[in-house]
Amino acid sequence: MIDEIGGPLHENHYPVGWAWAGSSPFQWMKRVPSHFGGTRNGMVISWPAKITDSGGIRTQFHHVVDIAPTILEAAGIPEPEVVNGTKQTPMAGVSMGYSFADAEAPGTRHTQYFETGGHRALYHDGWVAASFHGAPWVLTGSVGFDDSTWELYNIEEDFSQAHDVAAENPEKLAELQAMFDEEAKKFQVYPLDDRFSERARNPERPSVTRGRTVFTYAPGTTRIPEGSAAPAYQRSHTIIAEIEVPQGGASGVLIANGGSSSGYTLYLENGVPVYEFNFFGKDLYRVAGETPVGPGEHTVTMVYEQLPFEPGNEVTGGTARILVDGTEVASGDVEKVVPSRYSATETLDIGMDLGATVTPVYREQAPFAFTGTIKQVTVELQ
């Protein structure tokens, strides 16, 4: 699929092999902060009034948390202690401003911890203690922390962490491991949790949708993150779109959630109501009427009924019916449905389908904005 990468079909994601290769010369890639791959990046700072050696290079070690303090210092603004009546947690970063006038100035970022999904590391004055915690493309399960292995690198001499010197420097490794523990306690890293997809489904995670069964969206509502949209996954639900069609008819999206990776869309195609469900880009289920919706005020409804789950089938689907002003105009099977998440980056949109479109039918007309008037769209969950 190399010719498709960078196009509308893959959410600008690419296969693991390319991610790994693109992180050379580092050992690993994004989601593995213990080994810098995909996480150690150059940064460009431009400030002609203060930085005189245009194109100059600074090699002091810094972290993303240092950017905000740098901007505040440059603007002459103190770090806020209270915002809108809420006491602020002190920033963890330090300013990089000291390096603007002196490329050889000693660095002020002496220590920095890293932790993502159980991958841990501690940087301190040129040394890095690192604990790799499993292949980053394994997105479910937990391996625990009983058998963690720590490595040691001198990145002043070994930029890409190619040579583990833990065996030759056991005292230095122990020192950095103890420092990681201190930093982890200071910045609320504990308790460690090496799960990935399960954390998104954690019932204790804050949610704006939990417990709600009715979601009403106004016209022009776009880019609602999927995690904050009506969770219609594998459950019976109804979509009710109250619209007005002008003389001459209307086309366009009424509601869409997801994108080319998977999702659903309810739209008018030359006035004809259509519902499509995209199953991971593998199957596209289409239910469509035969007659265009005429001018005037109408209610277009899609009723999805979830079938009982088949043993061992995590993608059991159901049936979809389309009604116009209460009269059924189409029905069909949706054999497979997505169990928990349509995409990593797509959103719910009313009146258009932003990003990569759910269906290729209107991809060339994206975002295929509705040419009539939407009064509101309601999603009711069973």
Side-chain angles (χ1 to χ4, degrees):
M1 298 183 179
I2 190 169
D3 293 335
E4 298 175 2
I5 295 173
L9 300 180
H10 300 285
E11 283 195 89
N12 282 326
H13 278 53
Y14 45 86
V16 164
W18 286 111
W20 206 349
S23 294
S24 298
F26 301 110
Q27 293 186 39
W28 289 99
M29 60 187 75
K30 190 178 86 168
R31 296 190 60 237
V32 187
S34 59
H35 287 77
F36 288 159
T39 62
R40 188 167 193 184
N41 305 286
M43 182 178 70
V44 176
I45 298 178
S46 176
W47 191 8
K50 295 291 183 179
I51 302 176
T52 58
D53 60 332
S54 178
I57 295 175
R58 307 293 185 266
T59 59
Q60 295 89 345
F61 189 95
H62 278 281
H63 187 269
V64 67
V65 297
D66 299 330
I67 295 176
T70 303
I71 294 173
L72 289 175
E73 181 183 74
I77 299 174
E79 178 184 335
E81 297 181 0
V82 178
V83 175
N84 293 335
T86 300
K87 184 178 180 181
Q88 301 296 290
T89 300
M91 290 184 177
V94 297
S95 173
M96 296 178 279
Y98 71 91
S99 69
F100 294 170
D102 184 0
E104 303 302 323
T108 59
R109 162 62 64 196
H110 298 289
T111 305
Q112 177 62 48
Y113 83 92
F114 300 84
E115 191 276 333
T116 297
H119 298 280
R120 290 158 287 164
L122 190 287
Y123 166 86
H124 181 68
D125 287 341
W127 292 86
V128 171
S131 180
F132 175 74
H133 201 71
W137 52 85
V138 178
L139 304 179
T140 60
S142 169
V143 299
F145 298 92
D146 292 338
D147 300 317
S148 296
T149 299
W150 285 79
E151 302 163 2
L152 181 68
Y153 300 96
N154 183 338
I155 62 169
E156 294 294 323
E157 302 174 358
D158 179 19
F159 175 83
S160 63
Q161 296 173 293
H163 306 287
D164 177 12
V165 294
E168 299 91 323
N169 301 273
E171 293 182 357
K172 175 61 72 172
L173 176 60
E175 175 191 347
L176 267 61
Q177 284 177 293
M179 292 181 69
F180 176 87
D181 187 57
E182 293 176 4
E183 295 292 297
K185 291 176 181 176
K186 178 180 178 182
F187 293 106
Q188 294 85 49
V189 176
Y190 294 137
L192 295 172
D193 187 348
D194 61 350
R195 297 171 301 162
F196 184 78
S197 61
E198 295 90 342
R199 294 171 74 166
R201 299 193 295 267
N202 184 348
E204 297 180 0
R205 184 181 183 183
S207 171
V208 299
T209 64
R210 185 178 301 118
R212 296 181 57 187
T213 57
V214 178
F215 298 78
T216 302
Y217 299 106
T221 301
T222 58
R223 285 300 190 197
I224 295 180
E226 187 178 336
S228 299
Y233 313 105
Q234 284 191 318
R235 63 194 297 180
S236 297
H237 62 275
T238 302
I239 299 174
I240 305 165
E242 300 175 30
I243 65 173
E244 183 173 350
V245 177
Q247 293 295 327
S251 292
V253 173
L254 304 179
I255 181 174
N257 193 359
S260 61
S261 58
S262 66
Y264 68 81
T265 177
L266 178 63
Y267 62 98
L268 298 189
E269 181 182 26
N270 297 319
V272 176
V274 181
Y275 174 78
E276 291 193 64
F277 190 92
N278 178 339
F279 178 75
F280 291 127
K282 301 294 185 182
D283 299 296
L284 192 65
Y285 303 103
R286 177 183 171 95
V287 179
E290 297 180 352
T291 305
V293 179
E297 297 183 355
H298 298 280
T299 300
V300 178
T301 305
M302 192 290 299
V303 179
Y304 173 78
E305 296 181 12
Q306 174 67 44
L307 292 173
F309 292 107
E310 302 172 4
N313 183 3
E314 297 181 352
V315 296
T316 300
T319 61
R321 298 184 295 125
I322 299 177
L323 299 87
V324 176
D325 300 327
T327 300
E328 183 174 312
V329 299
S331 64
D333 294 330
V334 181
E335 297 177 3
K336 301 175 184 178
V337 292
V338 175
S340 62
R341 186 82 183 190
Y342 299 135
S343 78
T345 60
E346 293 286 351
T347 55
L348 181 146
D349 304 306
I350 301 298
M352 63 188 71
D353 186 355
L354 295 172
T357 60
V358 172
T359 173
V361 169
Y362 53 73
R363 182 178 298 151
E364 298 302 319
Q365 300 166 271
F368 201 39
F370 185 57
T371 57
T373 301
I374 294 176
K375 296 183 177 180
Q376 69 177 25
V377 179
T378 302
V379 180
E380 298 179 352
L381 308 178
Q382 302 299 316

